[in-house]
Amino acid sequence: SSELTQDPAVSVALGQTVRITCQGDSLRSYYASWYQQKPGQAPVLVIFGKNNRPSGIPDRFSGSSSGNAASLTITGAQAEDEADYYCNSRDSSGNLWVFGGGTTLTVL
Amino acid sequence: QVQLQESGPGLVKPSETLSLTCTVSGYSISSGYYWGWIRQPPGKGLGWIANIYHSGTTYYNPSLKSRVTMSVDTSKNQFSLKLSSVTAADTAVYYCARVLLGVASDYMDVWGKGTTVSVSS
């Protein structure tokens, strides 16, 4: 299967914890990578691999996976975390890459 | 610091070929990594187009494969995208990115700022 499914929208109160999920068969074989995109800007990698953050990404961002699902967790969400978040992975064939439909995070 | 910069026409006529170039600075394309193109139609999500290695190995999105060609010019430290027979559905912001392919973990760690391409007569 070459689909990754994300909830279209999620909201979180300032300072609280939020989990954004991504589901797809390929996640049983490949870790998801996660990207944050703010309006008018290019995506930024926030999580890759089992649970790795690029330099400069706050440690409130973390990743996990189980079965056919991957999650991005923001512990203590900040106003600046309001953005669209996309997961990405290879599909099960290993020869093409798929993005999830994206989740719009609103910080209340 | 690795930087990527997309360039190309902002307007393409229907049925013509869209051509974009990504210029890489701060890193030699020949040193490794794959290089990719991703696009985002207005108000929609990200869509993977293709990846290429400096040796020329390519992966194409099957939904675009008959129309897409990627190439690398190591002498200019650039890679390019050609998309033929474009329609209005190809109107999008096009991003280039550096792509690491791992055993079970891939990621796009550096992105260009994106270039807007409109398909219209």
Side-chain angles (χ1 to χ4, degrees), chain B residues 27-83:
Chain B
Y27 188 86
S28 171
I29 283 184
S30 300
S31 295
Y33 282 90
Y34 275 74
W35 306 89
W37 289 98
I38 302 97
R39 69 181 182 178
Q40 185 171 36
K44 297 187 178 180
L46 301 171
W48 172 74
I49 301 172
N51 291 339
I52 192 168
Y53 195 60
H54 66 80
S55 63
T57 300
T58 52
Y59 296 93
Y60 294 131
N61 189 318
S63 68
L64 299 171
K65 189 173 184 178
S66 63
R67 299 195 292 132
V68 171
T69 303
M70 269 193 82
S71 60
V72 170
D73 187 337
T74 55
S75 67
K76 294 182 179 179
N77 221 36
Q78 295 176 334
F79 59 100
S80 299
L81 172 74
K82 291 188 185 298
L83 180 65

Side-chain angles (χ1 to χ4, degrees), chain A residues 37 41 43 86, chain B residues 6-12 18-20 37-49 64 67 81 83 86-96 111 113-120:
Chain A
Q37 186 180 35
Q41 296 183 20
Y86 294 90
Chain B
E6 305 88 350
S7 60
L11 181 64
V12 182
L18 177 163
S19 296
L20 296 175
W37 289 98
I38 302 97
R39 69 181 182 178
Q40 185 171 36
K44 297 187 178 180
L46 301 171
W48 172 74
I49 301 172
L64 299 171
R67 299 195 292 132
L81 172 74
L83 180 65
V86 298
T87 69
D90 296 309
T91 294
V93 176
Y94 285 75
Y95 296 99
C96 58
W111 293 64
K113 293 183 178 180
T115 187
T116 299
V117 178
S118 297
V119 178
S120 175

Side-chain angles (χ1 to χ4, degrees), chain A residues 20-97:
Chain A
I20 298 170
T21 60
C22 174
Q23 287 193 302
D25 289 342
S26 65
L27 299 179
R28 297 184 185 278
S29 305
Y30 297 100
Y31 288 109
S33 54
W34 290 93
Y35 303 86
Q36 176 194 70
Q37 186 180 35
K38 297 180 179 180
Q41 296 183 20
V44 173
L45 176 69
V46 293
I47 290 290
F48 64 96
K50 191 174 183 179
N51 181 19
N52 300 293
R53 284 176 289 106
S55 173
I57 300 301
D59 60 7
R60 63 178 179 271
F61 289 87
S62 62
S64 61
S65 63
S66 178
N68 72 336
S71 298
L72 172 69
T73 300
I74 307 174
T75 304
Q78 302 300 302
E80 61 264 31
D81 299 333
E82 191 163 281
D84 292 330
Y85 291 85
Y86 294 90
C87 59
N88 175 262
S89 172
R90 286 197 217 198
D91 89 325
S92 300
S93 74
N95 292 322
L96 68 97
W97 284 258

